[in-house]
Amino acid sequence: MEHITTDICIIGAGPVGLFAVFEAGLLKMRCHLIDVLPQVGGQLSEIYPHKPIYDIPGYPDVTAQQLVDNLMLQIAPFHPTFSLGERVENLQRNEDGSYNIITNDGTVVHCQVVVIAGGLGCFEPRKPEIDRLTDFEGKGVAYMVKNPEHFRDKKVVLAGGGDSALDWAVFLSNVAERVTLVHRGDTFRGAPDSAEKVFELAREGKIDLILKSNVVALTGDDRLREITLLDRDQQVSHIEADHLIPLFGLSPKLGPIADWGLNIDRSAIAVNTTDYSTNIERIYAIGDINIYPGKLKLILCGFHEGALMAQSAFKYVYPEQKLSFKYTTVYGVSAF
């Protein structure tokens, strides 16, 4: 059984959890991160490492994995420690207000502050109702794009109307033989700029855009060969396809965290937007796992939440000190 002592234990090693290490490090607070995945990066590394991201300040575009790699470089001077491939199971509060966190491997982390940065928690893709969908999983049906080269010179059909569907339609238009984006509506939920790029590609004939339609059935032999569509007028059509990628989001599951007595709202943790604290003292929630009025599930917003969290957590790590926080041009800080 491994015993670790740190100032802040961060549950979740995705981009928001990693940036929280930086903000804590500037205040001379040590961090240990726990993640059930075997590598850092959360959804970015596990689900779409090659997906382009366009809303990170200072980067016109950056791939998900590049962002994770840069975050790791940024926090390296603060020497965070990690327990990867482990799942948090139990939380114990000590008499002095500190916590012990126990993982499924028996690792015990003693900390003054707990920060939940678990993204969507334990997640799984939402599967639409499509005839024979599961029959072709691994045989043409995938719910995420891990390696775009897998779709090189193939006929790819994307289904969905959010940011992931839009971004992958744009990206794969330069990789696949043909990209078809199918959406049940005629407007998109994603960023307007991404939607405009998709419409422009369709106008130029570089992708096929089919609106007001649903994928209803799949056919093939040992692999996917054809997709059946049904439009609002109940007209049926068929298109050839090597791959179908339904992108309808993820179903969040909080796992054992749901039993900690936190205020849960729609499978997310309610927080105070002053510092992103929860209803339990010394426990914070940042990133996609929290909820509050006006919440936007953007990495950028999670970075902001992590910065305010660190300012608030300081009082628990250094209760005798008054925070006087000043940035410098290098990694220097006056924290006391």
Side-chain angles (χ1 to χ4, degrees), residues 289-300:
I289 204 162
N290 74 17
I291 192 168
Y292 52 85
K295 169 71 177 182
L296 293 176
K297 292 194 174 185
L298 300 175
I299 295 173
L300 177 64

Side-chain angles (χ1 to χ4, degrees), residues 19-300:
F19 187 72
V21 174
F22 176 78
E23 291 294 331
L26 290 174
L27 298 176
K28 304 186 186 302
M29 294 185 290
R30 299 166 299 153
C31 293
H32 183 82
L33 298 91
I34 302 173
D35 202 298
V36 69
L37 297 175
Q39 74 283 322
V40 300
Q43 297 175 48
L44 297 193
S45 296
E46 179 70 7
I47 299 178
Y48 38 71
H50 299 280
K51 182 179 183 293
I53 301 173
Y54 301 106
D55 57 356
I56 302 300
Y59 291 92
D61 69 84
V62 61
T63 68
Q65 191 59 53
Q66 286 171 338
L67 177 59
V68 171
D69 293 342
N70 287 341
L71 286 166
M72 289 295 288
L73 288 173
Q74 187 177 32
I75 66 176
F78 303 117
H79 308 291
T81 52
F82 298 85
S83 293
L84 300 176
E86 297 186 41
R87 183 181 63 253
V88 170
E89 292 288 348
N90 295 307
L91 176 75
Q92 299 173 348
R93 184 161 189 172
N94 302 310
E95 291 185 2
D96 63 357
S98 65
Y99 289 98
N100 289 335
I101 293 178
I102 300 96
T103 75
N104 62 314
D105 282 355
T107 300
V108 178
V109 181
H110 177 251
C111 59
Q112 299 301 318
V113 172
V114 177
V115 176
I116 304 171
L120 294 174
C122 302
F123 50 86
E124 58 185 33
R126 291 192 177 98
K127 299 181 181 181
E129 293 185 8
I130 298 175
D131 187 41
R132 297 197 66 193
L133 179 69
T134 58
D135 291 349
F136 291 103
E137 290 178 347
K139 302 175 183 179
V141 171
Y143 301 99
M144 59 193 71
V145 180
K146 288 191 175 183
N147 182 5
E149 285 300 314
H150 182 66
F151 305 97
R152 172 74 63 180
D153 300 326
K154 302 294 185 180
K155 298 180 181 70
V156 179
V157 176
L158 300 162
D163 283 311
S164 290
L166 293 169
D167 290 344
W168 280 124
V170 173
F171 188 91
L172 292 176
S173 66
N174 295 314
V175 175
E177 174 187 332
R178 196 66 186 171
V179 171
T180 302
L181 176 58
V182 180
H183 179 39
R184 63 187 178 186
D186 53 10
T187 59
F188 291 97
R189 301 185 308 278
D193 181 68
S194 299
E196 181 54 37
K197 288 178 181 177
V198 165
F199 283 119
E200 182 61 27
L201 287 170
R203 286 192 291 267
E204 295 173 354
K206 295 181 179 179
I207 68 170
D208 294 323
L209 181 58
I210 302 177
L211 301 176
K212 302 179 183 178
S213 298
N214 286 303
V215 177
V216 294
L218 309 179
T219 54
D221 37 50
D222 58 329
R223 288 192 57 80
L224 176 65
R225 303 297 178 189
E226 188 177 75
I227 290 175
T228 302
L229 305 177
L230 181 68
D231 67 18
R232 289 184 179 177
D233 297 324
Q234 301 302 304
Q235 297 297 310
V236 176
S237 60
H238 306 276
I239 54 176
E240 292 183 12
D242 299 306
H243 296 278
L244 170 67
I245 310 172
L247 296 169
F248 293 93
L250 301 168
S251 297
K253 295 182 179 180
L254 290 176
I257 291 174
D259 300 323
W260 289 3
L262 297 163
N263 285 340
I264 306 297
D265 181 7
R266 288 172 287 175
S267 298
I269 302 170
V271 294
N272 180 341
T273 53
T274 301
D275 56 6
Y276 301 96
S277 58
T278 69
N279 60 302
I280 300 179
E281 189 179 22
R282 301 194 188 207
I283 299 182
Y284 298 80
I286 58 177
D288 286 355
I289 204 162
N290 74 17
I291 192 168
Y292 52 85
K295 169 71 177 182
L296 293 176
K297 292 194 174 185
L298 300 175
I299 295 173
L300 177 64

